[in-house]
Amino acid sequence: MSAYPNDDGNTTPRVGLVTGGTRGIGLAAARCLLQNGWTLSLGVRDASRVPEDLRPGTKPAVQVEHYDADDPGTAATWRAAVLERFGRIDALVHCAGMSGDEPFANVTTEQLEHTWRINTLAPTVLAQAVLPDLRRSGSGRILLVASMSGKRVRNDHIAYTESKFAVVGLAHTLRQQGWEDGVRVCVLCPSFVDTDMTASVTKVSTAEMTRPETIAELIRTMIELPNTASVAELLVNCRLEDMV
C-alpha cells in the first residue's frame, strides 16, 4: 500500500513523514520506505547530517525540512512545507527520541522536563498537526516508536520510562481519535536495538541486539497494512522475558 491508484490507472506514491531519519531506527526506516516506493519528507535538526543517499539532490522522492523535537513550533512549519510540495500526508513515522539513564533518586526536574519534551510532547504536537491530513487520506497511518521500557519497568531510569509509557498512552488516544476516518495507529516497543543509543549497554552484546533494518521492515509492514488489519502495539525483543 505504498501508492494510491489514480483515475487514469497510474499510481501516486504515498507521502510519509519520518523523524529521526539521520541515524538509528529512523534512518533505517527512511531507507526502507524509500526503497519500497514511498515519497518521504525527513524532519531533521541538521540537514547536513542527512546521508548522501537520502538527500533531495540524489533522490527526487525525498524532501528534507527543519524539524526540532525540542521546538514544538517546527511541527506546523514542517507540515506546511510538506503540503506545499506534495499536497498530501499519508503517514507519520516518529522515531526521534532520547535516552535518559538518570536514577530516580538523583534525577532533576530539568532532566525530567527535557526528556518529556523530546520523547512525549514532540510526537503529541506533531501528531496533532498532521491528524487532519491523515484523516483526509482515508488510510492515514501513525507509527510511534516507544520502547519495551514503556511496557514494563526493569530499572530506575524514571525520565525515560515515564516518557515511553506516555507514548503508549498517546498511541491509544490517537487510535480512537482517527479510527472512523481510516487512521490506524501502532506503537512499536523494541528492546535493545543496535544503534548508537545502546552503544554503552553491556548486559547484551551488539551481536544479540535487534538490527535497525529489522525494525524498519516491521515499521513498513505496520503502515502498509489495510484498514481491516490494525496492530495497536508491537512488542519486539532480542531476548527472552515475560513480556514477549
Side-chain angles (χ1 to χ4, degrees):
M1 200 176 65
S2 59
Y4 287 115
N6 296 325
D7 294 337
D8 59 6
N10 295 319
T11 57
T12 299
R14 304 188 80 208
V15 178
L17 277 61
V18 179
T19 70
T22 60
R23 62 178 183 168
I25 292 173
L27 174 57
R31 284 173 169 159
C32 178
L33 293 176
L34 184 63
Q35 291 167 4
N36 285 275
W38 283 77
T39 292
L40 298 181
S41 180
L42 305 181
V44 301
R45 285 185 300 173
D46 183 357
S48 69
R49 297 183 60 196
V50 176
E52 186 67 30
D53 63 311
L54 289 177
R55 291 183 182 176
T58 57
K59 299 291 184 181
V62 177
Q63 176 191 45
V64 174
E65 291 293 332
H66 178 68
Y67 169 72
D68 186 348
D70 203 23
D71 181 358
T74 58
T77 55
W78 181 21
R79 170 187 179 253
V82 177
L83 293 178
E84 181 178 0
R85 169 78 180 274
F86 300 118
R88 63 184 305 133
I89 296 173
D90 302 294
L92 167 62
V93 177
H94 198 284
C95 304
M98 63 173 290
S99 61
D101 57 2
E102 300 82 7
F104 181 82
N106 300 328
V107 68
T108 66
T109 300
E110 291 75 18
Q111 289 168 330
L112 286 166
E113 289 182 342
H114 187 222
T115 305
W116 174 78
R117 283 177 63 84
I118 300 297
N119 289 355
T120 307
L121 180 62
T124 302
V125 172
L126 187 53
Q128 186 180 47
V130 303
L131 185 57
D133 310 299
L134 298 175
R135 292 182 192 274
R136 284 190 290 272
S137 170
S139 56
R141 299 290 182 264
I142 298 177
L143 188 293
L144 304 178
V145 177
S147 170
M148 283 292 291
S149 292
K151 294 298 296 180
R152 47 62 171 150
V153 178
R154 292 178 66 98
N155 54 49
D156 65 349
H157 300 168
I158 185 62
Y160 187 74
T161 298
E162 280 187 329
S163 70
K164 292 302 185 178
F165 263 82
V167 171
V168 174
L170 168 62
H172 284 285
T173 299
L174 291 169
R175 288 183 72 238
Q176 296 184 19
Q177 289 290 310
W179 184 271
E180 295 301 324
D181 296 305
V183 179
R184 300 293 180 261
V185 183
C186 177
V187 59
L188 193 154
C189 300
S191 181
F192 294 110
V193 181
D194 184 15
T195 67
D196 57 356
M197 189 176 288
T198 57
S200 62
V201 172
T202 57
K203 64 179 68 176
V204 178
S205 71
T206 56
E208 296 175 285
M209 294 180 184
T210 306
R211 293 292 303 158
E213 293 79 11
T214 303
I215 300 297
E217 287 291 349
L218 292 173
I219 289 173
R220 182 172 76 90
T221 298
M222 292 302 99
I223 67 174
E224 290 188 351
L225 289 173
N227 285 5
T228 52
S230 177
V231 178
E233 298 183 4
L234 183 60
L235 279 57
V236 184
N237 212 328
C238 60
R239 57 181 180 168
L240 180 65
E241 63 172 273
D242 292 341
M243 282 299 300
V244 61

